[in-house]
Amino acid sequence: MTTTPTTPQPPPHSTTTTVRKLIVEVIEARDLLPKDGQGSSSPYVVIDFDGQRKRTQTKIRDLNPIWNEQLEFLIVDPKTMEAEVLDVEVFNDKRIGSGGGSGRKNHFLGRVRLNGTQFPKKGNEGLIFFPLEKKNILSWVRGEIGMRIYYVDEVIEEQNPDPTPPEPEKNPPPPPPEVVNPPVPTDTAIEIQTVPTVIVEEPVHSTVVHSEQGPDHQAPPEFPPEVRKMQTPPAGERVRVLRRPNGDFAPRVITGRFTSEKTERGHAYDLVEPMQYLFIRIVKARGISTAENAYVKIRTGTHFVRSKPAAYHRPGEAPGNPEWQQVFALAHNRTDSGAATLEISVWDGPTEAFLGGVCFDLSDVPVRDPPDSPLAPQWYRLEGGDEMNPGGRHVSGDIMLSVWIGTQADDAFPEAWNSDAPYVGHTRSKVYQSPKLWYLRVSVIEAQDLHVGIGGPPPDVRVKAQLGSQSLRTRRSSSHHSSSFSWHEDLIFVASEPLEDQLIILAEDRSSKDAALLGHVMVGLGSIEQRLDERQVASKWYGLEGGSRCVQPGAGYCGRIHLRLCLEGGYHVLDEAAHVCSDFRPTAKQLWKPPVGVLELGILGARGLLPMKTKGGAKGATDAYCVAKYGKKWVRTRTITDCFDPRWNEQYTWQVYDPCTVLTIGVFDNWRMFADVAEGKPDYRIGKVRIRVSTLESNRVYTNSYPLLVLLQSGLKKMGEIEVAVRFGCPALLPETCAMYGQPLLPRMHYLRPLGVAQQEALRGAATWMVAAWLARSEPPLGVEVVRYMLDADSHAWSMRKSKANWFRIMAVIAWAIGLARWIDDIRRWRNPVTTVLVHVLYLVLVWYPELIIPTVFLYVFLIGAWYYRFRPKIPAGMDIRLSQADTVDPDELDEEFDSVPSSKPPEIIRTRYDRLRTLAARIQTVLGDIATQGERLQALVSWRDPRATRLFIGACLMVAIVLYVVPPKMVAVALGFYFLRHPMFRDPMPPATLNFFRRLPSLSDRLI
């Protein structure tokens, strides 16, 4: 019997991973402070470590509680454990006991803060009693808590079986030619680009978790029992985690080398992380062997690049002296780029013949730190080992180059070929400037000698003005006599520099179905006078020509028109929504005021971006870049290709002329760098963030991570996070800064000759298109879709969601008045007798000394402001998903919000939405009618619509006047106040007589048809 030998299978490959955990054993506490009003407390412990929050059980009415509970925390990065802080806080559970009052906040019993350097390894731990500390100077605590704290390293072994590799074929077939598939957008990218998006975010310190699905598809995460208890606390229990209302959609503070302390401005790149690059500047060569298209190869341990073909035959130079004038920036601070040798070689393009090379030891490469001057290039002898290389070319000549190590702050970095962004044409960082925009005011006064029709219908002569794609028409002439017409009407356009366009004025007779041209005139914008204030500009007569009813149709004199033309330099041309405007300066530079500060933005990077395209048929990828806009200055970072966690680390600066402005930061996916699909694929938007400058403290660095969220037809979606560092350099109480808050927001002309709301919105649309067209002509271009998204061009569109959000904003504004009314009602009903008695005493003091009323009010407002200083925002505020109603929006409302105009939905859906709007309008109509009724009842008091009511009212007024003349006013005020605050036993549950009298007054609602 024969057996076939079998090949032994290799053992499965195993990988080990070390996970470090922090163990906190909460043993007991001693001599706690009684807080429940019955001489005891019901304590529990809350422990917070690196964003992980857990708690123990509650020990009922025990000042010396014993828990013996073990809580585990995951240490994400063991290298930074010593920089972490462990917060241990003890609270009294107010749900237990009758002395807790009605407030929401649990009583604070003390806390302990421990640094990571105090954590021993398992085996060296011991039970330590830590004295409880105060939270602030007003806290009253006592006692101590005993804990055993240590960390443990757990080794997790994972089995990864390796399949048996197939035997190689003796004669493998030649590999098929590689087919390069163009990138294809993902479903998320298509949905984002198809509909206008709304970006939302919440500036509350919270741990952010990346999400790749909408809220409808998110499953609740699984936590240990003690964590679930903290996530869903019973009613009445107050813990810090509840103050993170937006959870996954909230920004967080980035900890590390950046702090939030107030710092003065250092060097130009002190807000971002330094990124080291190996710079190679290839200038030219001389004396090499004759070559037609010589190029340079650069090779390190992890990079291999080649230069562009050389340029030849400059006047007076030999053909063997090529020039490249190119700079390369290769990432040098990565672990895989630690090669010790840099090889630079010259090759012939057609024959791939080696023409010589140079080698450098990277340990000897100099380091350049700005503001050092650029490193001077030097000549290096080309070497090739043998005198004759394998290609048959003799190695000879020199190459001029320079090599140094620098950072992204280097002057050569913006124009260098970057290893992170190989598509140089559309991936470099650039700074753009918006065009200078003017308002063009065309005052149409009158026209004379027009050739209008005789014997037909009365003429309807109107003047039409055109400037580029903008077109406006006057109303019908107010008066006319035979061939003379007058309008006295202003038409306003948006014009951009350079002022090379032509203003076309057309006189038309629209009395018939087809408008008849009576004449036209063209005026160059460069010849129009510019004014900076409200002074009157001289008007001019312009001759019309080209009319269809002239003596010689199409030529000759066709009448004249009286116009007043001027370019308004005293206005600010709005190109973005007024509530998120980044600049309020007028067009004329002569009217600008000096800046009040400097805004610095460090764009650190992004985390967890979703794939926006597929490459090679299956691989998901994102080629992200960031755009920031403030004032007239736009900045664009370089594009980091094929990376979901790009690191830009670029810093930019703006002059701030008004702190009450907004900085906008957006992230986009680059499609224009692919030449074959650039015509049909615009850059896809990933998300944006807004930061209001006035919310930033002076000279303080804010380093935060903001979620990038978009609202789509499928719901709210998180696209990733963006990390930025912001600093507003400004003297805190400089007189100019303080005076800025008392000055008008817009320039002077907006108040002397204001523009209508609808007119200003139309002008803003024209300005947006002009800015987009201007930036699209740059190189690399800033796409129209990018500019319109950054300027919120679609912010005026109808949305039921926004209407609800505005309604709840109004309710939040008047909530303080509602709360005050409830407090007064509680005082009147004597629900807290002590408070009511104190209010009586205060009322007597204010009545007897009325001069104290106004100072007391202002003192009270001061105390309120000082009290709320404790709850001030710690990070720059952004958008709020709850305020925007984005977390509870109805799918049908989203479908309506993203519908086009005119609607593209079926008739039955449009009918349903129309009926819903009618129902909403009916409610508004009822509310407006009730408001009108109350006002008409006030008028009916003295209008004698109800004679008996008017007699009673004026008679009562006469009696009140006589009483007030006789009785001292202080006595009257005391009597009225005490009557208003009388005890409920002296009250009638029915409405008072005065209210009944008012409700019986007649209104005009009975006269409506």
Side-chain angles (χ1 to χ4, degrees):
M1 182 175 179
T2 61
T3 60
T4 303
T6 60
T7 304
Q9 297 291 334
H13 177 67
S14 63
T15 60
T16 59
T17 304
T18 302
V19 178
R20 178 169 294 185
K21 294 183 179 180
L22 178 67
I23 311 299
V24 181
E25 297 181 4
V26 183
I27 307 300
E28 61 176 328
R30 301 174 181 173
D31 194 22
L32 297 180
L33 193 69
K35 286 285 188 176
D36 62 355
Q38 300 178 0
S40 184
S41 293
S42 300
Y44 66 92
V45 180
V46 177
I47 302 181
D48 194 342
F49 177 77
D50 194 18
Q52 307 167 62
R53 193 176 181 87
K54 300 183 181 181
R55 60 159 292 178
T56 65
Q57 298 179 355
T58 300
K59 296 299 180 179
I60 301 176
R61 295 187 178 90
D62 192 352
L63 296 181
N64 299 286
I66 298 177
W67 289 284
N68 285 323
E69 295 187 28
Q70 178 176 304
L71 306 179
E72 294 184 0
F73 300 87
L74 178 64
I75 300 177
V76 179
D77 188 1
K79 298 180 180 179
T80 61
M81 184 187 69
E82 297 183 355
E84 300 292 345
V85 176
L86 178 70
D87 285 332
V88 182
E89 295 181 335
V90 186
F91 293 94
N92 170 48
D93 196 338
K94 293 182 63 177
R95 298 173 302 159
I96 303 173
S98 59
S102 59
R104 297 177 302 166
K105 186 175 181 181
N106 290 333
H107 292 132
F108 176 75
L109 298 180
R111 72 172 182 179
V112 176
R113 293 175 62 91
L114 302 175
N115 296 323
T117 55
Q118 301 175 256
F119 303 157
K121 194 173 182 179
K122 185 177 180 179
N124 300 326
E125 75 279 4
L127 178 60
I128 303 177
F129 283 86
F130 300 92
L132 296 177
E133 302 173 355
K134 296 181 178 182
K135 182 182 294 185
N136 51 55
I137 60 174
L138 301 179
S139 301
W140 183 26
V141 300
R142 78 181 186 193
E144 57 186 6
I145 183 172
M147 297 181 294
R148 187 178 289 112
I149 305 174
Y150 56 91
Y151 69 89
V152 57
D153 293 330
E154 296 183 359
V155 179
I156 301 176
E157 184 173 352
E158 299 178 357
Q159 300 292 337
N160 297 324
D162 293 333
T164 303
E167 296 182 1
E169 299 180 7
K170 296 182 179 180
N171 296 318
E178 182 180 358
V179 179
V180 180
N181 296 323
V184 179
T186 60
D187 295 339
T188 300
I190 294 175
E191 186 178 7
I192 290 176
Q193 195 65 17
T194 303
V195 296
T197 59
V198 179
I199 308 305
V200 289
E201 67 175 27
E202 204 330 278
V204 181
H205 181 79
S206 174
T207 303
V208 179
V209 182
H210 300 301
S211 172
E212 297 187 4
Q213 293 183 342
D216 298 337
H217 302 85
Q218 291 181 354
E222 293 294 332
F223 297 104
E226 61 273 9
V227 180
R228 288 199 295 270
K229 185 182 296 184
M230 285 302 301
Q231 295 293 335
T232 57
E237 181 178 346
R238 180 177 176 87
V239 289
R240 188 175 303 172
V241 72
L242 296 179
R243 283 190 271 178
R244 301 172 181 175
N246 293 322
D248 208 19
F249 302 144
R252 60 185 176 87
V253 178
I254 302 175
T255 58
R257 79 174 193 87
F258 300 104
T259 62
S260 296
E261 302 296 332
K262 294 187 177 181
T263 58
E264 296 296 334
R265 185 169 186 256
H267 56 82
Y269 278 75
D270 60 340
L271 294 185
V272 296
E273 303 169 0
M275 302 176 66
Q276 286 191 346
Y277 288 89
L278 175 63
F279 289 89
I280 304 100
R281 182 188 298 274
I282 308 297
V283 183
K284 58 183 177 179
R286 66 183 180 186
I288 65 174
S289 302
T290 304
E292 296 182 0
N293 291 311
Y295 64 91
V296 177
K297 288 183 180 180
I298 300 175
R299 184 188 299 271
T300 64
T302 56
H303 299 288
F304 175 72
V305 296
R306 57 182 292 174
S307 70
K308 61 184 179 181
Y312 288 90
H313 302 298
R314 292 186 58 184
E317 291 192 4
N321 298 339
E323 288 192 8
W324 291 278
Q325 299 292 345
Q326 193 171 2
V327 182
F328 299 87
L330 308 180
H332 187 64
N333 57 340
R334 300 179 179 176
T335 57
D336 56 355
S337 63
T341 305
L342 168 66
E343 299 177 2
I344 302 175
S345 56
V346 185
W347 298 76
D348 183 22
T351 62
E352 293 296 330
F354 177 67
L355 302 180
V358 181
C359 292
F360 293 90
D361 187 353
L362 292 184
S363 60
D364 297 332
V365 174
V367 178
R368 175 178 178 247
D369 292 324
D372 293 349
S373 299
L375 191 66
Q378 297 180 352
W379 288 103
Y380 292 89
R381 183 70 179 176
L382 292 175
E383 300 176 354
D386 298 332
E387 190 171 334
M388 186 71 68
N389 61 33
R393 299 290 184 92
H394 182 71
V395 175
S396 62
D398 304 313
I399 184 172
M400 177 181 283
L401 55 87
S402 57
V403 181
W404 72 94
I405 296 176
T407 64
Q408 70 271 30
D410 200 287
D411 299 338
F413 183 77
E415 298 298 330
W417 186 97
N418 197 300
S419 58
D420 293 331
Y423 300 91
V424 177
H426 293 275
T427 59
R428 286 175 173 167
S429 56
K430 292 292 182 181
V431 177
Y432 305 85
Q433 284 289 337
S434 295
K436 189 175 183 180
L437 302 179
W438 296 76
Y439 279 148
L440 171 62
R441 186 184 297 272
V442 180
S443 300
V444 184
I445 303 175
E446 60 177 331
Q448 296 179 358
D449 302 335
L450 298 181
H451 298 272
V452 297
I454 301 176
D460 181 9
V461 179
R462 307 192 184 197
V463 176
K464 179 181 178 181
Q466 293 181 352
L467 179 63
S469 59
Q470 306 172 70
S471 178
L472 295 176
R473 184 182 291 110
T474 64
R475 294 185 292 270
R476 189 170 183 172
S477 60
S478 57
S479 62
H480 70 274
H481 177 70
S482 66
S483 60
S484 300
F485 302 85
S486 61
W487 292 273
H488 296 282
E489 188 174 346
D490 288 352
L491 306 177
I492 300 181
F493 300 86
V494 179
S496 65
E497 291 189 356
L499 301 174
E500 299 175 349
D501 295 337
Q502 295 285 330
L503 173 66
I504 304 175
I505 306 295
L506 306 171
E508 299 176 336
D509 184 4
R510 307 184 65 85
S511 57
S512 59
K513 183 177 181 180
D514 297 329
L517 179 62
L518 302 181
H520 75 276
V521 62
M522 300 178 64
V523 182
L525 295 183
S527 62
I528 298 178
E529 184 178 355
Q530 302 175 1
R531 72 171 182 179
L532 310 181
D533 49 20
E534 69 277 10
R535 65 180 177 85
Q536 195 75 0
V537 177
S539 57
K540 295 181 181 179
W541 286 95
Y542 294 88
L544 298 175
E545 58 183 15
S548 60
R549 297 179 180 176
C550 299
V551 178
Q552 297 181 358
Y557 177 74
C558 298
R560 61 176 186 168
I561 187 170
H562 193 194
L563 303 174
R564 181 180 291 110
L565 307 177
C566 67
L567 290 168
E568 300 281 7
Y571 287 90
H572 169 70
V573 181
L574 287 173
D575 57 355
E576 49 195 344
H579 61 281
V580 293
C581 193
S582 61
D583 188 16
F584 294 105
R585 290 175 294 170
T587 300
K589 195 172 183 178
Q590 301 90 319
L591 303 179
W592 292 1
K593 296 180 180 179
V596 297
V598 176
L599 177 64
E600 298 172 88
L601 172 66
I603 305 175
L604 302 178
R607 299 286 186 186
L609 298 181
L610 296 186
M612 302 298 293
K613 61 171 71 77
T614 58
K615 296 181 179 179
K619 178 187 176 182
T622 298
D623 306 316
Y625 68 92
C626 185
V627 176
K629 193 264 181 185
Y630 184 79
K632 300 296 182 183
K633 181 179 176 181
W634 300 65
V635 298
R636 168 179 175 161
T637 66
R638 68 188 187 280
T639 300
I640 306 298
T641 59
D642 199 7
C643 183
F644 298 129
D645 299 317
R647 307 304 296 172
W648 292 295
N649 284 303
E650 300 184 18
Q651 185 169 337
Y652 300 94
T653 304
W654 288 268
Q655 295 287 340
V656 177
Y657 294 85
D658 192 331
C660 302
T661 46
V662 177
L663 168 68
T664 304
I665 308 168
V667 182
F668 301 87
D669 181 52
N670 197 333
W671 279 83
R672 286 184 168 81
M673 65 182 185
F674 303 107
D676 50 348
V677 297
E679 293 77 14
K681 294 292 189 297
D683 291 346
Y684 288 171
R685 43 199 164 194
I686 298 177
K688 68 180 174 183
V689 176
R690 296 196 194 101
I691 299 176
R692 184 166 289 274
V693 179
S694 59
T695 61
L696 305 178
E697 293 189 15
S698 300
N699 304 317
R700 179 178 177 180
V701 178
Y702 295 86
T703 308
N704 305 312
S705 175
Y706 289 90
L708 298 171
L709 307 171
V710 295
L711 191 62
L712 307 174
Q713 286 181 326
S714 58
L716 192 66
K717 193 176 187 67
K718 181 176 179 180
M719 307 299 296
E721 298 177 3
I722 181 173
E723 299 176 353
V724 296
V726 185
R727 175 171 55 201
F728 177 40
C730 171
L733 295 178
L734 194 68
E736 291 78 4
T737 308
C738 299
M740 181 68 66
Y741 282 86
Q743 297 176 359
L745 191 64
L746 293 171
R748 189 167 181 262
M749 286 295 293
H750 284 270
Y751 304 96
L752 297 180
R753 303 191 67 174
L755 304 175
V757 177
Q759 184 182 33
Q760 194 159 307
E761 191 64 31
L763 293 173
R764 176 185 165 232
T768 301
W769 279 111
M770 285 188 176
V771 174
W774 174 272
L775 297 178
R777 295 195 297 265
S778 305
E779 183 60 34
L782 206 57
V784 174
E785 71 283 353
V786 174
V787 177
R788 290 181 59 82
Y789 179 63
M790 295 288 291
L791 296 180
D792 280 330
D794 301 322
S795 60
H796 62 281
W798 157 256
S799 170
M800 179 68 75
R801 175 187 58 83
K802 293 182 181 179
S803 301
K804 290 181 179 179
N806 291 332
W807 168 255
F808 286 112
R809 288 172 58 198
I810 294 175
M811 298 305 297
V813 168
I814 64 177
W816 68 270
I818 298 176
L820 179 62
R822 291 177 179 174
W823 179 79
I824 294 176
D825 185 69
D826 292 343
I827 296 298
R828 292 180 65 226
R829 298 179 184 275
W830 289 69
R831 291 181 177 174
N832 192 335
V834 176
T835 305
T836 304
V837 171
L838 292 177
V839 170
H840 279 76
V841 174
L842 178 63
Y843 182 74
L844 283 176
V845 172
L846 294 179
V847 169
W848 228 255
Y849 301 98
E851 63 274 7
L852 298 180
I853 296 178
I854 296 180
T856 303
V857 171
F858 281 98
L859 178 62
Y860 183 67
V861 174
F862 167 77
L863 294 177
I864 292 177
W867 172 258
Y868 275 100
Y869 179 77
R870 300 173 53 197
F871 312 105
R872 67 191 184 279
K874 299 299 189 298
I875 60 178
M879 306 177 198
D880 192 333
I881 61 172
R882 294 191 176 181
L883 184 66
S884 305
Q885 298 295 307
D887 53 345
T888 59
V889 63
D890 187 78
D892 183 64
E893 295 177 359
L894 278 178
D895 185 68
E896 180 184 10
E897 180 174 347
F898 294 122
D899 192 11
S900 58
V901 178
S903 178
S904 59
K905 300 300 178 182
E908 55 271 13
I909 296 181
I910 298 177
R911 185 180 299 109
T912 303
R913 292 175 179 173
Y914 176 68
D915 293 340
R916 183 177 61 190
L917 282 179
R918 290 180 63 188
T919 303
L920 178 62
R923 296 177 183 176
I924 298 175
Q925 172 183 294
T926 303
V927 173
L928 294 178
D930 293 341
I931 295 175
T933 297
Q934 308 308 321
E936 290 166 354
R937 286 173 177 172
L938 286 176
Q939 294 177 344
L941 288 172
V942 292
S943 65
W944 294 89
R945 286 204 294 268
D946 186 343
R948 284 172 293 276
T950 303
R951 290 192 187 98
L952 289 174
F953 177 71
I954 63 177
C957 290
L958 178 60
M959 293 179 60
V960 170
I962 294 174
V963 171
L964 292 179
Y965 276 125
V966 176
V967 182
K970 294 183 179 180
M971 300 298 297
V972 175
V974 171
L976 292 178
F978 277 55
Y979 177 77
F980 180 77
L981 298 174
R982 67 191 184 278
H983 198 273
M985 69 174 59
F986 301 111
R987 292 183 191 277
D988 188 355
M990 303 303 291
T994 53
L995 183 59
N996 295 332
F997 176 80
F998 182 78
R999 288 176 176 174
R1000 291 176 176 274
L1001 292 173
S1003 65
L1004 301 181
S1005 57
D1006 54 349
R1007 302 184 186 181
L1008 295 176
I1009 299 177

